[in-house]
């Protein structure tokens, strides 16, 4: 039997990048991945790709910062499947810039999607998980949420916030057998990091003990473990997947 | 079904208590073994069942079965 057989998993921001890898991997392990993202074509393509491998996925278009939208989609998912086992809060954006020159709108945008979106999705899913007395929530944070990063004050603050949100929700939901953990990726090769100058990439790689960038698969692998019963005694933790970047 | 019966049934279902325990004076937390999450879930159940919004300030006051019934009867009249 597959490790996540018959599980229903919602992954936000899953049309591309790390989110897609997570969805692909969850489906490979038997789950039905529900891909949530903003762009319809991208969502359809992602679903198709998983479908082509003979695994299960469906897509929904939603903005995680819109609580009514999230609530109605989660309701629809719950109606269709009768349960929601796993939520992966992955949707995130960057609007980098030095703090001195950071526009308030860039601060707000990043906070809204990354931190508030995680809060909204957690709040809207927990009623279903509480009722069934089981559930797993995984929040994608970042090592910069732990160590900070020049030029990413908004992003780092949002990711640090996600770590604190993870701990608080783990405490609130523990009595209902809902586990909440955060994953802090280090330097992962994605479209987000492809935009960085080569010099920055080289500098980072030099600072990583395993001296290479990670892949989205490295994150997805941890998701499988944390979402499975094998991790049933782990909650409220932030686990770094960073090649040893910070210890 | 009247409001009192509906509320009683919801409490029995949500908190897993015997129907005889659900008296008007019974406190959700003291007498019926609810924790803070249970009380939030219960309020959400009421909102769903009766299709109303219960403000947080109002919800805080609904500590006993009787108070909940009284409140809901007033809201729905």
């Amino acid at each position: 039997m597959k490790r996540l057989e018959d599980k229903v998993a919602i992954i936000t921001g899953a049309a591309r990048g790390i989110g897609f890898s997570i969805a692909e991997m969850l489906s490979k392990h038997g789950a039905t991945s529900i891909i949530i993202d903003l762009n319809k074509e991208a969502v359809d393509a992602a679903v198709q790709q998983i479908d082509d491998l003979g695994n299960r996925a469906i897509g929904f278009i939603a903005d995680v910062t819109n609580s009514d939208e999230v609530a109605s989609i989660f309701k629809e998912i719950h109606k269709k499947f009768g349960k929601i086992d796993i939520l992966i809060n992955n949707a995130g954006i960057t609007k980098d810039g030095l703090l001195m020159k950071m526009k308030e709108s860039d601060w707000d945008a990043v906070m809204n999607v990354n931190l508030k979106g995680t809060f909204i999705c957690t709040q809207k899913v927990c009623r279903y998980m509480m009722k069934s007395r089981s559930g797993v929530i995984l929040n994608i944070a970042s090592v910069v949420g732990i160590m900070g990063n020049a030029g990413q004050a908004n992003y780092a603050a949002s990711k640090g916030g996600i770590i604190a949100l993870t701990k608080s929700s783990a405490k609130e939901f523990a009595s209902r057998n809902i586990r909440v953990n955060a994953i802090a990726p280090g330097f992962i090769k994605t479209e987000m990091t492809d935009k960085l100058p080569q010099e920055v990439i080289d500098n980072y790689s030099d600072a990583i003990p395993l001296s290479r960038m990670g892949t989205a698969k490295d994150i997805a692998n941890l998701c499988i473990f944390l979402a499975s019963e094998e991790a049933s005694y782990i909650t409220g933790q932030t686990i770094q997947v960073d090649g040893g970047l910070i210890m | 079904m009247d409001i009192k019966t509906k509320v009683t049934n919801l409490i029995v279902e949500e908190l897993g208590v015997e129907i005889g325990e659900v008296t008007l004076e019974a406190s959700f937390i003291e007498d019926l073994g609810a924790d803070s999450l249970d009380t939030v879930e219960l309020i959400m159940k009421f909102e769903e069942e009766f299709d109303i919004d219960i403000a947080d300030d109002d919800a805080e006051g609904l500590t006993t079965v009787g108070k909940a019934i009284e409140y809901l009867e007033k809201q729905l009249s």
Side-chain angles (χ1 to χ4, degrees):
Chain A
M1 191 169 135
K2 291 176 175 172
R3 286 163 91 181
L4 300 174
E5 194 73 54
D6 297 328
K7 298 286 186 193
V8 175
I10 296 173
I11 309 102
T12 67
R16 293 178 299 145
I18 292 177
F20 176 70
S21 280
I22 294 170
E24 198 182 22
M25 190 79 87
L26 288 165
S27 294
K28 194 176 136 195
H29 284 273
T32 298
S33 288
I34 293 150
I35 291 176
I36 293 183
D37 215 312
L38 287 171
N39 181 291
K40 188 174 186 311
E41 281 97 66
V43 168
D44 288 346
V47 168
Q48 189 63 47
Q49 221 173 313
I50 292 175
D51 207 49
D52 286 346
L53 297 168
N55 298 321
R56 281 186 299 271
I58 58 170
F60 281 95
I61 313 304
D63 178 352
V64 294
T65 64
N66 183 329
S67 61
D68 289 342
E69 222 171 274
V70 170
S72 90
I73 281 174
F74 284 10
K75 196 172 175 184
E76 198 179 327
I77 293 165
H78 186 262
K79 212 168 159 191
K80 186 173 163 74
F81 294 97
K83 61 173 187 167
I84 299 171
D85 301 296
I86 300 161
L87 167 68
I88 304 198
N89 284 309
N90 167 78
I93 59 168
T94 55
K95 299 257 182 208
D96 297 351
L98 292 174
L99 194 140
M100 272 187 80
K101 295 202 313 191
M102 187 173 286
K103 284 195 225 115
E104 228 176 276
S105 58
D106 286 346
W107 171 272
D108 289 342
V110 168
M111 278 299 181
N112 264 330
V113 176
N114 299 9
L115 186 53
K116 193 175 172 190
T118 300
F119 158 70
I120 288 173
C121 292
T122 300
Q123 187 182 53
K124 299 308 172 197
V125 88
C126 77
R127 60 191 305 163
Y128 303 111
M129 292 182 171
M130 273 165 78
K131 211 169 282 177
S132 64
R133 296 287 189 270
S134 77
V136 174
I137 299 173
L138 299 177
N139 297 326
I140 306 302
S142 166
V143 288
V144 308
I146 302 168
M147 66 176 189
N149 199 18
Q152 286 197 307
N154 48 1
Y155 185 77
S158 75
K159 294 301 188 175
I162 285 176
I163 292 171
L165 174 63
T166 301
K167 293 175 185 180
S168 303
S169 33
K171 285 183 176 175
E172 276 193 30
F173 302 151
S175 67
R176 297 301 191 273
N177 193 33
I178 300 167
R179 295 185 293 107
V180 190
N181 288 294
I183 295 173
F187 209 45
I188 306 294
K189 197 171 161 33
T190 62
E191 281 174 40
M192 213 187 255
T193 50
D194 280 345
K195 285 188 286 190
L196 293 168
Q198 189 60 41
E199 191 195 333
V200 175
I201 293 177
D202 289 343
N203 284 344
Y204 262 110
S205 298
D206 287 345
I208 300 170
L210 288 178
S211 58
R212 59 181 164 85
M213 287 170 83
T215 65
K217 247 188 187 163
D218 293 320
I219 310 303
N221 281 326
L222 178 59
C223 286
I224 301 301
F225 169 67
L226 288 175
S228 76
E229 270 308 296
E230 291 157 51
S232 66
Y233 199 51
I234 302 174
T235 196
Q237 303 306 305
T238 302
I239 300 178
Q240 293 160 222
V241 183
D242 64 357
L245 179 62
I246 54 171
M247 299 185 192
Chain B
M1 220 190 297
D2 65 358
I3 291 173
K4 191 180 166 195
T5 315
K6 273 190 187 168
V7 168
T8 307
N9 289 345
L10 283 176
I11 294 167
V12 167
E13 187 188 319
E14 194 64 31
L15 300 180
V17 292
E18 296 295 325
I19 198 156
E21 296 176 73
V22 188
T23 60
L24 290 178
E25 299 75 37
S27 149
F28 294 120
I29 291 177
E30 308 286 325
D31 303 312
L32 301 177
D35 65 15
S36 56
L37 284 180
D38 287 321
T39 56
V40 174
E41 278 185 285
L42 204 51
I43 297 292
M44 279 160 55
K45 271 261 168 172
F46 294 154
E47 290 181 326
E48 221 169 276
E49 177 75 26
F50 299 106
D51 198 24
I52 54 166
D53 278 320
I54 302 174
D56 288 349
D57 287 347
D58 291 341
E60 256 172 51
L62 309 183
T63 52
T64 67
V65 177
K67 282 178 185 167
I69 291 170
E70 194 189 330
Y71 174 83
L72 290 167
E73 280 174 342
K74 212 165 131 198
Q75 294 293 310
L76 295 162
S77 64

